Amino acid sequence: MTRPKIDPPHMGEPYLLTPGPLTTAYSVKQAMLRDWGSWDSDFRAMTAELRKRLLEMCGDSGGALDCVPMQGSGTFAVEAMLGMIPRDARVLVLANGAYGQRIAQTLRYLGRDMQVIDKGDYMPPRGDEVAAALAADPALSDVVVVHCETSSGILNPIEEIAEAVRAAGCRLWIDSMSAFGALPLEFDRIEYEGFVSSANKCIEGVPGFGFVIARKSALERARGNSHSLALDVHAQWEYMNRTGQWRFTPPTHVVAAFLRALELHAAEGGVAGRGARYARNRDVMVAGMRELGFETLLDARWLSPIIVTFFNPAHPAFDFTRFYDLMKARGFIIYPGKLTVVDSFRIGCIGQMDEDVMRKVVKAAAAALAEMGVDDAAPPEAALKERARLAA
Amino acid sequence: MTRPKIDPPHMGEPYLLTPGPLTTAYSVKQAMLRDWGSWDSDFRAMTAELRKRLLEMCGDSGGALDCVPMQGSGTFAVEAMLGMIPRDARVLVLANGAYGQRIAQTLRYLGRDMQVIDKGDYMPPRGDEVAAALAADPALSDVVVVHCETSSGILNPIEEIAEAVRAAGCRLWIDSMSAFGALPLEFDRIEYEGFVSSANKCIEGVPGFGFVIARKSALERARGNSHSLALDVHAQWEYMNRTGQWRFTPPTHVVAAFLRALELHAAEGGVAGRGARYARNRDVMVAGMRELGFETLLDARWLSPIIVTFFNPAHPAFDFTRFYDLMKARGFIIYPGKLTVVDSFRIGCIGQMDEDVMRKVVKAAAAALAEMGVDDAAPPEAALKERARLAA
């Protein structure tokens, strides 16, 4: 197979090695060079195309799902989806990082009755735990989980969780923000009530809207359920189906960019092709960083192809802020860590980047270490103990 | 004074003669040709610049106000602002069109106690009416009004309303979505608690975010008051002041475009210069349309320089859908009417357009009428009676 052509930054900007906003193809940005009337038939056709293409990526042979784009950042779309959960539901939130915590926080704003299984910074919630929790509390009706928790970069075991939820007769809602488009989430294989993702993640659009993909039955049932006019998914769905328009002004340029991003996604081989490039990015980058002495937080089996957490080196000359600036000066913007127990940083694998770029990232890291006088990037003992605890 | 240079569409797209999304300068769109890391210092500086420049347009010599950008369409920002109104408030909504109605609808989602003065499609709410309503019901604490109601294009008498609200010791909240940036809203002259506008209106950016500008005291008081995590203005304000970042992923490209739009706005002479161009657009366009026989819904004193409503001609050969298509084929997208009583359409005066463009709009309308076989664009008698009722 020929390697997909990727598109380097054209305007001298650094690569964004982050979970989004990310480095996008130049042609995606060029699609924003014209203005669209949001009520005009041309733009309505673009909205219809966007919804159709996203649904085609869901592996839903029965046509049970529908797609509802929602203005704002991904968090807006998550809140909109959570507003579909019946007001009298009791919700189980599976948290292992900032995004799981945010779901719980949102449900508190919405006044939903809730139980949280908090696995800490990066331990995966497992199917048997979920089954046990649902068995212990039969009032639980809905479960919410993060697909890839970018706080640590962990890929949560979504299939075994979905199976436990299905077996208990509950509904599953998935925050697949940073996974959909690169990791399979096929409705024919994984039962869910709905999930959410956004324009500026694995489909490599620019930020400005997200989308809820949910069972039509769930969309019907959500009528009158939302706490918010703007974030009312049922109202947006009903209006969009009736008029072809977004209920309120859409980010027209961002939508045009997304359509171009969807074309590039399809040309790369869809979810499988995109996922393969990201996995190769991760493998090449992690191997190179390990050669420098860096260690990943997670065991290989939990490493997502989205973003990878590395322990900060123990060496006294290592300073993350300086490392960040040295990497930025070399054209790479990395991401700070988000762990509470040990110091860490993150490097993303998604966006318009391939393994050649990832080799340059490793080279830049080597040069930055040299400039700081760090001759060994090995983590402190405490970090390795933490990892051993995880592996156990 | 030399006329400001305007920038015709570069990509062969039609002019958008609407209240937004509108025709923007090419350099505004070109600013979207690079990717930004939303947590990086470069982008944080852009966010700070945006807030500073917007505040400078508010005529707030005492520094009482602060600016909180909010992701999503303008309606998202309106809902976010309404979420600042204390939960135990009793709110007077002044409605004369779809946007006033939407405010009332949003407050119903939010569970606020409310009274609505509904003036119908386009009658202005007057200061003495507001004073009487506030005197009759001392429990009323907050008043919400639309600055320019684009349903009809009416410019509501914001100064006399503000004076009535101030005299009654109440708080005023303004939806200045389609007015701010072209019509004065000076805090030193008009007392208000807060107002809201968006990127893609008179500042001529592209759609993707709005902003709340409010007294710092109101922002402080709004802590814990919001019904929504994503739309929590206090939380966004507090986080942005502390970190320089948006709380959730901002539409980075839209923000970059907006900074360029702000530069162009300043170069045109700020609010006064922008307002003067729009007023000239309106005057030239309305005069030309009147020559064709068209009549405006509103009396001259209520005509905003934002968008103008015309009655559909009485001539039996006139068909709005065909007129729309014929105008679009000539490069101009117009806007359907939104009145319940009589048939109408609207033509916007805002965006990268000047009087030369407006003359071409009139020519296109003349050609469209000729092609339809409409030799007189005069409205039906009923429409003129409706206008007489308004003037009385």
Side-chain angles (χ1 to χ4, degrees):
Chain A
M1 180 184 145
T2 54
R3 222 200 290 169
K5 210 177 119 254
I6 67 125
D7 202 3
H10 279 55
M11 304 281 282
E13 74 260 36
Y15 278 99
L16 304 179
L17 299 164
T18 72
L22 32 74
T23 297
T24 64
Y26 197 66
S27 65
V28 166
K29 294 182 281 274
Q30 282 179 307
M32 295 192 281
L33 287 173
R34 71 161 276 183
D35 298 307
W36 298 92
S38 52
W39 56 94
D40 189 61
S41 57
D42 295 342
F43 189 79
R44 277 181 274 151
M46 289 161 65
T47 298
E49 176 76 10
L50 175 164
R51 297 174 71 193
K52 185 172 85 60
R53 284 196 177 231
L54 286 174
L55 283 171
E56 284 167 1
M57 290 162 60
C58 294
D60 166 32
S61 59
L65 303 175
D66 207 349
C67 170
V68 187
M70 180 60 69
Q71 297 94 327
S73 80
T75 296
F76 286 59
V78 171
E79 178 172 329
M81 180 182 79
L82 296 175
M84 294 174 65
I85 297 178
R87 293 191 179 210
D88 61 356
R90 182 163 156 76
V91 186
L92 177 66
V93 178
L94 309 178
N96 58 336
Y99 294 91
Q101 294 293 353
R102 188 179 293 170
I103 286 165
Q105 190 190 2
T106 306
L107 288 169
R108 278 191 287 272
Y109 270 86
L110 271 55
R112 293 295 185 285
D113 189 28
M114 175 180 38
Q115 182 191 330
V116 180
I117 295 183
D118 188 348
K119 300 287 294 185
D121 274 348
Y122 44 79
M123 301 286 284
R126 302 304 304 257
D128 52 1
E129 292 172 279
V130 175
L134 294 175
D137 184 353
L140 287 165
S141 55
D142 295 77
V143 180
V144 191
V145 66
V146 179
H147 194 170
C148 173
E149 174 56 82
T150 52
S151 307
S152 63
I154 194 168
L155 184 58
N156 282 326
I158 206 79
E159 297 205 21
E160 65 182 50
I161 291 167
E163 176 52 28
V165 174
R166 191 204 58 75
C170 294
R171 294 177 289 250
L172 179 64
W173 306 86
I174 304 170
D175 173 353
S176 190
M177 198 58 60
S178 56
F180 180 68
L183 295 169
L185 192 59
E186 305 221 330
F187 188 72
D188 288 347
R189 290 185 50 240
I190 304 175
E191 270 196 43
Y192 49 79
E193 196 70 0
F195 76 88
V196 67
S197 186
S198 96
N200 61 302
K201 302 289 184 183
C202 299
I203 299 168
E204 300 189 359
V206 304
F209 72 93
F211 45 90
V212 175
I213 292 181
R215 289 178 197 254
K216 290 170 189 163
S217 58
L219 290 164
E220 280 292 358
R221 207 185 49 239
R223 179 193 301 270
N225 200 67
S226 180
H227 60 298
S228 161
L229 172 86
L231 300 173
D232 188 331
V233 177
H234 175 273
Q236 178 94 319
W237 177 60
E238 188 276 326
Y239 186 87
M240 207 171 257
N241 281 352
R242 184 159 47 82
T243 67
Q245 297 172 42
W246 302 50
R247 214 166 28 128
F248 309 120
T249 302
T252 45
H253 303 75
V254 174
V255 168
F258 191 68
L259 285 171
R260 175 63 186 150
L262 282 167
E263 282 174 17
L264 294 176
H265 184 268
E268 192 172 342
V271 175
R274 185 60 54 93
R277 173 161 61 86
Y278 290 172
R280 183 83 187 133
N281 283 352
R282 174 199 58 200
D283 293 343
V284 166
M285 187 266 290
V286 167
M289 292 294 279
R290 284 201 170 123
E291 275 181 35
L292 301 179
F294 286 105
E295 289 284 353
T296 61
L297 164 74
L298 299 173
D299 191 69
R301 70 197 269 221
W302 302 115
L303 275 186
S304 74
I306 308 300
I307 191 165
V308 177
T309 297
F310 293 96
F311 294 119
N312 282 4
H315 197 290
F318 183 85
D319 172 70
F320 176 71
T321 304
R322 189 143 177 247
F323 185 61
Y324 179 96
D325 290 338
L326 290 168
M327 290 294 284
K328 184 177 169 183
R330 285 167 174 80
F332 299 105
I333 289 194
I334 62 171
Y335 212 53
K338 222 171 187 171
L339 305 180
T340 49
V341 183
V342 291
D343 290 331
S344 63
F345 65 92
R346 291 173 287 173
I347 297 186
C349 313
I350 67 179
Q352 274 294 292
M353 307 182 299
D354 62 10
E355 58 190 276
D356 294 337
V357 175
M358 298 320 268
R359 280 188 201 99
K360 288 177 189 151
V361 172
V362 174
K363 266 194 188 165
L369 289 181
E371 197 164 332
M372 295 168 78
V374 177
D375 55 4
D376 180 4
E381 276 304 308
L384 294 174
K385 268 190 207 155
E386 183 66 16
R387 190 170 66 174
R389 187 176 74 87
L390 172 64
Chain B
M1 181 185 146
T2 53
R3 223 200 288 169
K5 212 178 117 249
I6 66 126
D7 202 4
H10 278 56
M11 304 282 281
E13 74 260 38
Y15 278 98
L16 305 177
L17 299 165
T18 72
L22 33 74
T23 297
T24 64
Y26 198 65
S27 65
V28 165
K29 293 181 281 273
Q30 282 179 309
M32 296 192 281
L33 286 173
R34 72 161 278 183
D35 299 308
W36 298 93
S38 52
W39 56 93
D40 189 61
S41 56
D42 296 340
F43 189 78
R44 277 182 274 149
M46 289 161 64
T47 298
E49 175 76 10
L50 176 163
R51 296 174 71 194
K52 184 172 84 63
R53 284 196 177 231
L54 287 174
L55 283 172
E56 285 167 359
M57 290 162 58
C58 294
D60 166 31
S61 59
L65 302 175
D66 208 350
C67 170
V68 187
M70 180 60 68
Q71 298 93 327
S73 80
T75 297
F76 287 59
V78 171
E79 179 171 329
M81 179 181 80
L82 296 176
M84 294 173 65
I85 296 178
R87 294 192 179 207
D88 61 356
R90 180 162 158 77
V91 186
L92 177 65
V93 178
L94 308 178
N96 57 336
Y99 294 92
Q101 295 292 354
R102 189 181 293 171
I103 287 166
Q105 191 190 3
T106 306
L107 288 169
R108 279 190 284 273
Y109 270 85
L110 271 56
R112 291 297 185 284
D113 189 26
M114 175 180 40
Q115 182 192 328
V116 181
I117 294 183
D118 188 348
K119 301 287 294 186
D121 273 348
Y122 44 79
M123 299 286 283
R126 302 304 303 258
D128 52 359
E129 291 173 281
V130 175
L134 294 175
D137 185 350
L140 288 165
S141 55
D142 295 77
V143 179
V144 191
V145 65
V146 179
H147 193 170
C148 173
E149 173 57 82
T150 53
S151 307
S152 63
I154 195 167
L155 184 59
N156 282 326
I158 206 81
E159 298 204 22
E160 65 182 51
I161 292 167
E163 176 51 28
V165 174
R166 190 203 59 74
C170 293
R171 295 178 289 250
L172 180 65
W173 306 86
I174 304 169
D175 172 352
S176 190
M177 198 57 63
S178 56
F180 180 68
L183 295 169
L185 193 59
E186 305 221 329
F187 189 71
D188 289 347
R189 291 183 51 237
I190 303 175
E191 270 196 43
Y192 49 78
E193 197 71 1
F195 75 89
V196 66
S197 186
S198 97
N200 61 303
K201 301 290 185 180
C202 298
I203 299 168
E204 300 188 358
V206 305
F209 71 93
F211 44 89
V212 175
I213 291 183
R215 289 177 197 255
K216 290 171 189 164
S217 58
L219 291 163
E220 281 293 358
R221 206 185 48 238
R223 180 194 301 270
N225 200 69
S226 181
H227 59 297
S228 160
L229 173 84
L231 299 174
D232 188 331
V233 177
H234 176 273
Q236 178 95 316
W237 177 59
E238 188 277 326
Y239 186 87
M240 206 171 257
N241 282 351
R242 184 159 47 81
T243 66
Q245 296 172 42
W246 302 50
R247 217 167 25 130
F248 309 119
T249 302
T252 45
H253 304 75
V254 175
V255 168
F258 191 68
L259 285 172
R260 176 61 187 149
L262 283 167
E263 282 174 16
L264 294 177
H265 185 268
E268 193 172 341
V271 175
R274 184 60 53 94
R277 173 161 60 86
Y278 290 173
R280 183 83 187 136
N281 284 352
R282 174 199 56 198
D283 293 344
V284 166
M285 186 266 289
V286 167
M289 292 293 278
R290 284 201 172 125
E291 275 180 37
L292 301 178
F294 285 104
E295 290 283 352
T296 61
L297 166 73
L298 300 173
D299 190 70
R301 70 177 175 144
W302 302 116
L303 276 186
S304 73
I306 307 302
I307 192 166
V308 176
T309 297
F310 293 95
F311 295 118
N312 282 6
H315 197 288
F318 183 86
D319 172 71
F320 177 71
T321 304
R322 188 141 179 250
F323 185 60
Y324 179 97
D325 290 338
L326 290 169
M327 290 295 284
K328 184 176 170 186
R330 286 167 173 80
F332 299 105
I333 289 193
I334 62 172
Y335 212 53
K338 223 172 187 170
L339 305 180
T340 49
V341 183
V342 291
D343 289 332
S344 63
F345 65 90
R346 290 173 287 172
I347 297 185
C349 313
I350 67 179
Q352 275 291 294
M353 307 183 298
D354 61 11
E355 58 189 278
D356 294 338
V357 176
M358 298 322 267
R359 280 188 201 99
K360 288 178 190 148
V361 172
V362 173
K363 266 193 189 167
L369 289 181
E371 196 164 333
M372 295 168 80
V374 176
D375 55 4
D376 179 4
E381 274 306 306
L384 294 174
K385 269 189 204 154
E386 181 66 15
R387 191 169 67 172
R389 188 176 72 86
L390 172 64

